[in-house]
Amino acid sequence: MALLNFRRKETAAPSGANAAVEAFLDGYSIEVMPRTAEKVEDFRDLLPKGTRVYIAHIDGTPIEDMVATAKRIAAEGFPVMPHFPARIIKDKATLADWIARYQGEADVKQALLLGGGISKPHGDFHCSMQLMETGLFDGFDRLHVAGHPEGNKDIDPDGSDKNVMEALRWKQAFKERTDAKLAMATQFCFEAKPVIKWVNRLQAEGINIPVHIGVAGPAKLQTMIKFAIACGVGPSLKVLQKRAMDVTKLLLPYEPNEFISELAAHKAENPEFGIESVHFFPLGGIKTNATWAIENGGKSAVPAAQA
């Protein structure tokens, strides 16, 4: 039985839908893992038609589980984008095997290339640029890389963004010499103004890689803080810390309404602004995140099964 039984007449945008937010959420993507995907009976009951589904590859997850998840979600009609974390890939032969499995079993044509969340590489690769240089992704339609609006202390231990920006300039040059569509999926954060400043800075420096801004989906405040600290969220963590000090809000779940509304309004006023799409991290669960999108996204979030 479908978990969300939306009747056809409910596919119209709710009367209270914010037009800017609806436009901003159009074409959003979402991230799953094999174990979280297993909890979803049918993604068509939750996600809009054509939603890009990233499949996060956590160190220790067997490639067989990753490919099976990609195959299942693709069979339900959604384009899948598996993660390729450089530091957990032993060598070029392993990378070629993974790509062949994804392409052969799930017709994968998109990939997110990133360094990966471990400190010591398992083999020959330590960054996404090395993966890109192998040439093994040449036949892919779309490649995404990681973005860090608040910096990344693993890449720039001194707190600057020197190395991050140097890597982005390299990726900008790659974008200009390849046929693949390149975009940047960012870490999630909680404050709009610094994100706007960062995106504007990229454009000012000639980096026009489209930004798919990371957004933390609804979750309990304690859960959100735990993930934010573990994922290295920067100064915008203070938004959560401030909320945690308010007894009236302590037990209420965090929802990204304010963050998305501010970015959506800025995008509506500045159509050339570099954020192209929203990428959700469903920290409180895929169903919870999809329900929030349905309630706030109007026509942009109508589930495929009800379209």
Side-chain angles (χ1 to χ4, degrees), residues 3-304:
L3 291 158
L4 295 172
N5 185 23
F6 295 96
R7 292 169 293 178
R8 184 167 297 276
K9 69 178 183 180
E10 293 175 318
T11 60
S15 59
N18 179 297
V21 170
E22 182 175 330
F24 195 63
L25 290 179
D26 187 32
Y28 78 79
S29 58
I30 196 165
E31 187 161 304
V32 306
M33 294 179 283
R35 63 177 177 81
T36 58
E38 287 177 354
K39 299 176 182 178
V40 177
E41 186 174 330
D42 193 327
F43 280 91
R44 289 167 290 199
D45 292 326
L46 300 174
L47 304 180
K49 183 178 179 181
T51 300
R52 179 179 298 110
V53 181
Y54 291 61
I55 306 176
H57 196 153
I58 307 302
D59 187 25
T61 304
I63 186 61
E64 292 80 9
D65 292 356
M66 292 291 298
V67 173
T69 302
K71 182 178 180 180
R72 175 257 168 122
I73 295 173
E76 292 179 6
F78 298 97
V80 292
M81 178 176 273
H83 288 197
F84 286 84
R87 292 174 198 154
I88 74 170
I89 300 172
K90 182 180 178 182
D91 49 31
K92 188 174 180 178
T94 300
L95 176 60
D97 176 61
W98 286 15
I99 292 173
R101 292 190 191 201
Y102 279 123
Q103 290 182 325
E105 297 185 39
D107 195 28
V108 167
K109 298 175 182 177
Q110 309 182 41
L112 172 67
L113 312 182
L114 67 167
I118 60 173
S119 57
K120 185 177 180 181
H122 289 186
D124 297 340
F125 303 115
H126 65 82
C127 70
S128 61
M129 292 177 287
Q130 291 176 312
L131 299 181
M132 296 162 85
E133 286 179 326
T134 65
L136 293 174
F137 293 97
D138 287 356
F140 278 57
D141 294 338
R142 178 177 283 273
L143 297 176
H144 287 189
V145 294
H148 308 280
E150 299 184 289
N152 185 313
K153 289 189 177 180
D154 289 337
I155 300 173
D156 286 294
D158 62 0
S160 71
D161 63 1
K162 178 182 176 182
N163 294 330
V164 166
M165 291 302 295
E166 184 178 338
L168 286 179
R169 292 186 186 95
W170 187 96
K171 291 166 186 174
Q172 173 68 31
F174 179 88
K175 175 179 179 288
E176 293 169 0
R177 67 174 187 266
T178 182
D179 292 333
K181 294 180 180 178
L182 191 69
M184 187 189 319
T186 80
Q187 176 60 279
F188 60 87
C189 36
F190 303 98
E191 198 170 11
K193 287 182 176 62
V195 168
I196 293 170
K197 183 178 179 181
W198 177 73
V199 174
N200 287 339
R201 179 189 169 199
L202 294 183
Q203 292 179 300
E205 297 202 15
I207 298 170
N208 60 11
I209 301 171
V211 173
H212 291 203
I213 190 66
V215 175
K220 293 179 181 178
L221 185 59
Q222 298 93 326
T223 300
M224 192 69 68
I225 292 174
K226 180 185 73 173
F227 276 110
I229 293 172
C231 294
V233 170
S236 70
L237 179 60
K238 67 178 182 287
V239 173
L240 299 184
Q241 294 169 329
K242 182 179 179 180
R243 184 185 178 99
M245 295 175 67
D246 186 339
V247 178
T248 64
K249 297 180 180 179
L250 184 60
L251 298 180
L252 297 175
Y254 166 85
E255 295 184 334
N257 301 57
E258 184 176 345
F259 180 65
I260 284 182
S261 293
E262 285 189 42
L263 291 178
H266 186 80
K267 178 71 174 181
E269 294 171 2
N270 304 272
E272 300 304 314
F273 182 58
I275 291 183
E276 180 180 73
S277 185
V278 168
H279 175 59
F280 280 116
F281 293 84
L283 304 183
I286 298 167
K287 299 164 193 171
T288 299
N289 199 143
T291 300
W292 181 92
I294 291 165
E295 292 173 349
N296 291 273
K299 293 179 181 177
S300 294
V302 174

